[in-house]
Every structure is written in structure tokens, then in C-alpha cells.
Amino acid sequence: MTPPPREQLRVGECLVDVPLREVHVPGARRPHRITPKAMSVLLALVDNAGKVVSRDALLAAVWPDTLPTNDVITQAITSLRKALGEERNNPRYIETIAKTGYRLLAVVDWLDQDAAPAPTSVGDPTPAEAVAWRDPRTTGLQRVLPAAAPELAARPRARWQGLAWAAAFAAVLVASVALWTSYRGAPGEPPAAAAQAAPYRLITSLPGPEITPSLSPDAALVAYVAVPSGQRNTAVMVQTTDPSPPRQLTRPPAASDDSAPAWSPDGREIAFLRIRSGQDCRVMVVPANGGIERRVGACDYRTPPNFDWTHDGRGLVFGSRGALGDNAGLRILDLASGAWRKLDYPATADDIDAAPHYSPDGRWIVFVRNSTRGDFWRLPAAGGTASRLTELRADIRGWDWTPDGRGIVYARWSNSQSRLYRLDLETGVSSDLGVADGTQPTMATKTAALAFSQQRNYYGIYRFDLGAGGGLERLFPSSGRDRLPAIAPDGRQLVFASDRSGEFGLWWSELHTPNALRLIDGVVPESRQLPEWSPDSRTVLVVGTDRGNRTPGLYEVVPASDQVRRLDSPVTDPVQAVYLPGTSPTDARRLLVIAGTQGGRLRLTLFDRDARPWRALASIDDVALVRVDADRHRVLLTRPGQAGLWEADLALSPASLRQVDAERPVAASYRLWNVTADGRLYAIDRQPGCATTLRQAEDGATSQRCIDASRSPANNGFSVNTRANAAFVSLSEWLGGDIGFMALPPAPEQR
């Protein structure tokens, strides 16, 4: 009989898990995940340890029957060196042989499966290829391995590739697996308690994304939003919490989308929103088993509200934005009378109170204040004084109570991805549930079961002409997720964020020299706002972290020479930084910076960075994003949770601040606009029959054209350049969002 495949090998001091594509470095906090191509390159070097492997041999073995450029090997080697913890200019693992290839320097030892030592670093509990889950009705632990990615299918296999795949398939036969210990909380979060990673399963598999789940009280059914087969618009779907075919619950009319389902406390009805783009927003209720839909209220289509049922099931509680009326405080819609009433507590229009949920006993309402840098606040259900529960200052992507009322489960965006956490309200300790790309968690009220959306959307960067009739051109194709394309003022250089090397990083290239594409080491960009180029196209401002410092900061990068410097900024929670336009040295030393304040609100400040410490010259509160219109000597900005566009002069004079458009951009697209050096304003949105529509506003006139009928833009921005007469946008290659389901594990202190 053929001996079982070996799954782990020792490369120098590092342990490599082949089927999981993980490299464990001694002392590292968690392993590095590498791409399938990088693993194939490593195994090719392992098979020839101590020998030189030419670039041509690597191309033939790892990229057969294709015509890739040499940079794919460079990217794979860069990824491997980073994963192995190799220092720049001090190769201990992989040696570059000039004009020839590469040689593996470290001692290699394949480990027997039974004798393999435990990794010295903490692993990611949910690798992209294999999901561990526990059925809440059983005690068995299973591992499910989905189909191979397209890039790995139907290609010739070398001996070492067959070994890797045999090891991967062997994982399917494992009856039980060890659970990993969760890592500590994200920046600004209380230290996470040691907790096992929570096993889960995916229960949907429709093409396209399934989002915004809501569990029935007994966790037997889940409602969510998806595009039904053969239709164009989103509808509410319902299915059991087993992998089973869904049924379509709502039937939106043409040009309307249904969203945000919420199950009533008695399990008999589901409330949802019906939005007709550019026209209206309706609050609807439908029987959970199907039947006549009824309209119960109206809302603002520019800022769709978030809401939940009241504890008694007689009404709906709404956040402070999106329901018609003023923007101050939470409001309740009585379903019997259709009347609105405001909750009685101190609230102003400056604070965004969102995502309210009643506690299981009905005594409290907890909500998120100022979501992009938000925290949880608690309010007596009858009104009174709101008190702050946390000091997270986080981008919270959904949350819900645990059934016992002692904690909450929430999703938080950090380090370019969303993860699920459990917060113990008594101790204030957060623990990571180990669900990568998890968002929009929802809990059942009668049992400790959790559903969520696991969103894995893949985007590519495209160039298209600003003139009519220009086609789309894909730039730097890869199997990774490419975001935040920022074109330099000279029209020749582009930087963007991508995980094409296994982890998110900043990439740079000259447009006319595609082989120049390379990773800029030293900064991990946060994928919220575009990097910002200096007027002379020499430097780029990036908000992010470095490999050793998880606290977000401002970085100034010189792409041409790979120089990265963390700026000595006085802000502790930066969101965006922009150079002041101009040609004088004084102008170049002034920066516009958006950062979170202690209360979670966002503030735009003009800094003189020649002063020590930096001197704040002026500021404007409640700014979500800023762009500089150098042609008209002004800044344009959007406000958190609001539709519309504002302007101010370059000095941020209070008297100059005014609204210039009350309708666009809508709140959900507050980053999908930009301005050119000559003052032309562009925006991207979705129209019926066209997923990506480009709008141009100039001298009071507006024109639009369809860029792509089926692919949607990433919502974190695009860049334009008049020298290149082109725009650069990240468009969806594949939108993957499935609903996950799991039994909520006991809190750490209950284990």
C-alpha cells in the first residue's frame, strides 16, 4: 500500500503545514498564510534543497501552460521570505542566484504525521480552504473542504504537487481536529481572554453574495438577502439552518431591492426595507411563512436606516439616521398606529446612534454611537441617560445580544478584514471567535446559536478612459483581492492594496512598465481610504500599520526607492491624510488629516508638520472623507452617515463651510467620488441595468455612462487623472458571501 502523505515539514527553524499553507515561525503570534502558488514554489525548492532552481524551471512547474511574467516568481519568493521571517539583505532560507534562479539554504526535514510537534505559534482557526464546524445537535467535529480554486484545477502535477494535494484531501478524513487559541483583541480593544476558536459551517451556496442574516427565535430558520436565480434585484430568502434549498419570501417590484430582514420576537413576522434607487424607501412587514406584504413606514433612501423589533414585538426601533425626520436620537415606530416617537434621552444630531437592540429581558437598549470609530452605549428601555460601555473606537460591522444578556457578539473591521468577537459585558473583555471575514452577526433569542455572513469578495483593478466609449482594461491580474487604486498626478505611477502575496500589502508600479510591479514592505494599508499622492508624485500618504506595530498610524512612502517612514503625528486614530496643494515648500509641509476623537466622532484638521509637535491650524468636525479641488482652491467633503457633499476653503475657515449637493453621494457611497486637478467632479453609483455607472458633474450639468453592466465597484474609492484621461477603479471579479451558522461556545470563564 502507498504510505500516507506527509503533511508537515521543518524548514530550518520553521514548521510548514502543507495542506493549510501555513508557515509557523518560532515566537510568532500566529502563522503566515501563503498562496497556493507560493507553496508550490516552496515545495519545488524543497525537492531540490541545496541546488539552484532556475526561474524557467519554476515557471514550467508552477505555472504550466500559461504565459506569466517573471514578476509572479518575484512575488512568490517575496511572500515566502516574509512568511519565513527572513531579514532583508540577510538570506538564511532562500538565496537569489543572480540571473539564474533561487536556492533553498535551510535544512529540510519531512515530519511523520504522528511525530509532528505542535506549532510554536498560534494558528488562524478558519483557513480559507477548510472550515471546521460543530453541529449544535451533535457533538461530532467535522472538517469540510470545498472544491479547489479555479487557479489550481486541471493542471499537470509534479511529484511534490501531488504530495501537497494528497495531504490536503487527507484532511477531509479527519474525524476531529484541535481547536486553536484565539489571539488578543485588535488595537484599542480590551485584552482578549484566551478562548478556543469557534467551529462553524456554511449553510448557503447560491451564486453571488448572501448577506444580512436574521435568525428565528428558535434558530430553526434564517432569513437573509440574496439575488434569486434569474432575477436582477435582491429579495429576502428563508431556509432552515441546515444546508438546504431556500425559498423566496419577498417579491420586490422592478428597480427595487429588499434588504435588512429582522425576525419578530414571536417568530411570526419579518420586517425589512424596500428601496427604490433614487426614489423612495419603505419599511415593510411580511408573515414569516409567506403572505401579503404590508407597508408600515417610510424612510430615507439616501441613508437607509438600521432597525430592530421592540422587545414586545409591537414596534420597530430605528437608529438616528435614515428614518424621516430630524437626525437626533433613536426612534420607535408603532406598528398599529404608524406613529413615530423619539426615545427620551440626551442625544444630538452630531452623534450617530445606530444598530439598536433590546436586551433579552427588555430592560435596556444597546446601540453603537459613531460607527466608523464607534463604541457600544447602553440606555434604559424607557429612556433616561445613556452610558458608554466600551472604549473600542472601532469600525463595527453588526452585532447582537447573547441570549443570556451577559454579552454581545460583534463584527469589527481591522487590518483590512472583518472578524467576529464576543464581548463579556461584566468584565469588558473581548475574545476572538476565530471567524475570518465574518460580518453581520445575529443571535437566536431562545438558544445560543449564531448566524453571520462570511464575505469573501475578490476585486481586480481596471482602467477606463474618461471620454465616451473607452473600454475597460484589467491591470496586474492576480488571484488576490486588489483594492484602493491611487493614480499619481503624473499619470504614470499607481499604488494599490492587495493580498496577492498572501497578506495585504502596498503595491507600486509604473503603468507603462508592468514588470516593475513590486510590493513595498514596511506598511500594511488599512483598506478604508485611498492612499494620497503628493502634488509632485514623489511620495504617498498611507494610513496603516507595520508588521511589528499593530497601532494604526500615518506613513509616508517613497515608492521609487521603497522608503517607508512612520510620521510623528499627534493623532492616535488616523483615517485619512491628504497633502495641501501648492508649489511652495510651506504648502508641501501642510497636511489635512481626518482622525477619530475620544468620543468617536471624526475630525478634519489642517496641520503644520514643520512644528514640533505638529501644530493644528484649523479643524472641522464630522468629516468622513476629504478631497482637494486645487483648481478652485477648496476642499470637498462628505459627512458621516449623511447624504450630500460639502465644501470649505483650503484654510478650513468656518465661514466657508457650506453644502453644495444635498442628494449625492448617498451615505452608502460616501467614498465613491473624486475630483480631478482641473476641477471636474466624478462619482460612481449603481443604476438599473448597470452595476457601475460613472457620473460627471461640471458647471451645473450632469452626464452619465455605463462602465460595466454586471461588475460592481468596491465601495472604498477610485481615482481619476486628467493627464492619463483615465479613471482607475476596483471592480468585482467574484462576489462571495455565504451565511455561516454555529453554536455559540461557552464564555471563557464558563469552560
Side-chain angles (χ1 to χ4, degrees), residues 339-410:
W340 292 87
R341 68 177 177 88
K342 295 181 64 175
L343 276 171
D344 184 16
Y345 73 103
T348 70
D350 294 328
D351 284 311
I352 304 173
D353 294 346
H357 292 287
Y358 280 81
S359 61
D361 60 11
R363 296 176 54 206
W364 304 95
I365 298 174
V366 167
F367 58 91
V368 178
R369 175 163 285 179
N370 302 326
S371 180
T372 55
R373 285 297 184 271
D375 276 290
F376 291 104
W377 290 65
R378 186 173 66 176
L379 171 71
T385 301
S387 58
R388 188 171 183 169
L389 292 178
T390 63
E391 294 284 349
L392 299 175
R393 292 187 288 280
D395 187 353
I396 296 170
R397 304 290 180 95
W399 76 277
D400 207 351
W401 287 89
T402 58
D404 59 10
R406 298 175 57 188
I408 62 177
V409 174
Y410 66 96

Side-chain angles (χ1 to χ4, degrees), residues 649-669:
D649 61 24
L650 295 179
L652 305 188
S653 305
S656 68
L657 181 63
R658 70 181 187 92
Q659 189 172 29
V660 294
D661 191 328
E663 296 292 323
R664 298 183 184 278
V666 297
S669 303

Side-chain angles (χ1 to χ4, degrees), residues 678-694:
D678 58 1
R680 284 181 284 172
L681 187 64
Y682 289 91
I684 286 178
D685 60 16
R686 176 186 176 188
Q687 295 295 315
C690 184
T692 301
T693 301
L694 179 70

Side-chain angles (χ1 to χ4, degrees), residues 3 27 201 221 281 323 342 414-415 417 468 554 570 586 616 634-635 637 652 708:
R201 57 176 171 169
L221 299 169
C281 172
K342 295 181 64 175
S414 181
N415 295 323
Q417 71 166 329
L554 290 180
T586 301
R634 62 175 180 168
V635 296
L637 55 96
L652 305 188
D708 195 288

Side-chain angles (χ1 to χ4, degrees), residues 3 47 103 127 149 227 240 249 375 419 437 467 493 544 596 688 711:
D47 261 9
R103 180 173 63 174
V227 178
T240 67
L249 181 65
D375 276 290
R419 298 184 70 89
D437 299 311
Q493 305 174 79
R711 284 175 290 198

Side-chain angles (χ1 to χ4, degrees), residues 194-214:
Q196 289 181 319
Y200 66 92
R201 57 176 171 169
L202 300 177
I203 60 175
T204 63
S205 57
L206 292 174
E210 291 96 55
I211 58 174
T212 60
S214 178

Side-chain angles (χ1 to χ4, degrees), residues 502-531:
E503 296 178 295
F504 270 99
L506 184 69
W507 292 77
W508 169 89
S509 185
E510 293 182 338
L511 291 179
H512 302 298
T513 313
N515 289 340
L517 178 67
R518 67 173 184 268
L519 174 68
I520 298 176
D521 204 4
V523 60
V524 181
E526 274 287 4
S527 53
R528 288 192 185 95
Q529 311 284 18
L530 293 174

